[in-house]
Amino acid sequence: MIDYRQLKKTVGFTLIEVMLAMAVFSIAGVALLSVATNNTRNIAYLEDKMFANWVAANQLVATHLVEKWPPKNKVKGEVELAGRAWFWQQKVIKTTDKDMRAIVMEIRLKEDDELAISSLTTYVSKVEQ
């Protein structure tokens, strides 16, 4: 004969246990989704930052090739890189040495953005001939 009291104690999970397990798994799933979203957002930002640094470096090299002294201030332009338009602005800053200037190249994703996504600085000196 089967003892139903023993059988009842050994079968399955209680409703509380199942609900607790579901809550734990749902919290873990939401946490993983949040991490994946942040990771994707950060990768896109780093990609933009990398391309902006390349644009800034290229523009600074171009300023070194110009022989006009002093370099022009507040020059703006647009260049395409990686299938995108990048807006750059050149700022020339006087230094304590009258024959040397600091050139700051700022890169923006949109021409009217207030903050630059990247900014690189170089120094140029007057070439004596």
Side-chain angles (χ1 to χ4, degrees), residues 29-63:
V30 168
L32 285 174
L33 185 62
S34 174
V35 167
T37 302
N38 284 339
N39 190 32
T40 303
R41 191 176 307 126
N42 288 338
I43 287 174
Y45 174 75
L46 289 174
E47 183 180 79
D48 289 346
K49 190 87 165 155
M50 178 187 66
F51 285 134
N53 282 333
W54 287 354
V55 170
N58 289 343
Q59 294 304 315
L60 287 176
V61 167
T63 62

Side-chain angles (χ1 to χ4, degrees), residues 50-108:
M50 178 187 66
F51 285 134
N53 282 333
W54 287 354
V55 170
N58 289 343
Q59 294 304 315
L60 287 176
V61 167
T63 62
H64 279 281
L65 298 175
V66 176
E67 296 179 2
K68 184 180 181 300
W69 185 260
K72 288 184 178 180
N73 193 14
K74 303 286 185 185
V75 177
K76 294 181 179 183
E78 178 182 347
V79 66
E80 185 178 334
L81 180 69
R84 242 183 174 174
W86 299 89
F87 298 92
W88 56 269
Q89 181 178 4
Q90 173 180 309
K91 294 181 181 178
V92 178
I93 302 168
K94 289 184 179 180
T95 62
T96 55
D97 184 349
K98 66 179 177 70
D99 292 332
M100 184 173 274
R101 298 288 189 268
I103 300 177
V104 179
M105 191 64 62
E106 294 180 345
I107 309 299
R108 292 174 171 75

Side-chain angles (χ1 to χ4, degrees), residues 102-118:
I103 300 177
V104 179
M105 191 64 62
E106 294 180 345
I107 309 299
R108 292 174 171 75
L109 289 172
K110 296 177 187 163
E111 191 171 13
D112 57 349
D113 280 350
E114 188 176 329
L115 297 175
I117 190 169
S118 179

